[in-house]
Amino acid sequence: AVQLGFYDHASVSLARASGWPMVPPPPAAVWFGVCFMTAFSVAIALCKDLPDTAGDAKHGVRTMSVRAGRKGVFRFAVAMLLCTYALAASVIFIAGLGGAFLPVNVVTALAHVALGAVLFLNARRVDADDDGAIKRFYMMVWKLFYAEYFLLPFVYL
């Protein structure tokens, strides 16, 4: 929802500065960013909790990792991110067909496919029971998160 806040701040500021009486609703690209980053944030939160599973169970904290197990939560987070990348690439590509921004959309869609491949290849090597491996994966996911912020300005829907 950070993207909505930035959009609102910028559009209200521009509307006031130009004397425009109303603020336009957020375009599809802003909603794309909100949906993509929300799914990413949920996956990050799930991965962040994985190394704490033993302590949570010991102290009776019934987190998702305690209830479903580390491997199950890890697989769910990875699957959610892979689906998010696949959906993002599809939406960007399909929305860009026939438009003036087709070359940019193709490159942006392919960048999402590449980032999804990086995620998949890294996830395959992770032992969900190894705290060190989970922490390294978690930090890699943050890098992918910031890579998405680099790509968002190139999303034309």
Side-chain angles (χ1 to χ4, degrees):
V2 171
Q3 294 79 15
L4 286 175
F6 284 136
Y7 175 80
D8 185 58
H9 173 73
S11 45
V12 167
S13 297
L14 289 171
R16 285 182 184 155
S18 65
W20 188 255
M22 59 185 250
V23 176
V30 172
W31 287 109
F32 170 88
V34 168
C35 294
F36 190 96
M37 294 312 216
T38 298
F40 229 95
S41 297
V42 170
I44 285 173
L46 291 173
C47 289
K48 171 77 170 105
D49 193 41
L50 290 173
D52 303 328
T53 305
D56 290 344
K58 180 180 175 183
H59 295 351
V61 180
R62 297 191 34 84
T63 62
M64 190 169 174
S65 300
V66 171
R67 293 177 191 178
R70 288 170 68 127
K71 288 180 183 173
V73 172
F74 177 76
R75 287 184 192 128
F76 176 76
V78 170
M80 186 168 67
L81 288 174
L82 289 173
C83 288
T84 302
Y85 274 122
L87 183 61
S90 301
V91 166
I92 292 167
F93 182 74
I94 292 168
L97 289 177
F101 297 108
L102 179 62
V104 174
N105 280 7
V106 168
V107 170
T108 306
L110 290 174
H112 280 86
V113 170
L115 292 175
V118 167
L119 173 78
F120 177 75
L121 293 173
N122 277 277
R124 287 182 53 198
R125 293 183 274 157
V126 173
D127 175 4
D129 292 322
D130 178 1
D131 285 347
I134 290 291
K135 288 175 184 175
R136 285 187 298 279
F137 180 78
Y138 173 75
M139 295 310 294
M140 186 273 310
V141 169
W142 271 106
K143 291 173 186 169
L144 294 175
F145 183 82
Y146 288 116
E148 185 62 28
Y149 270 110
F150 174 78
L151 291 176
L152 280 176
F154 301 103
V155 174
Y156 295 97
L157 302 177

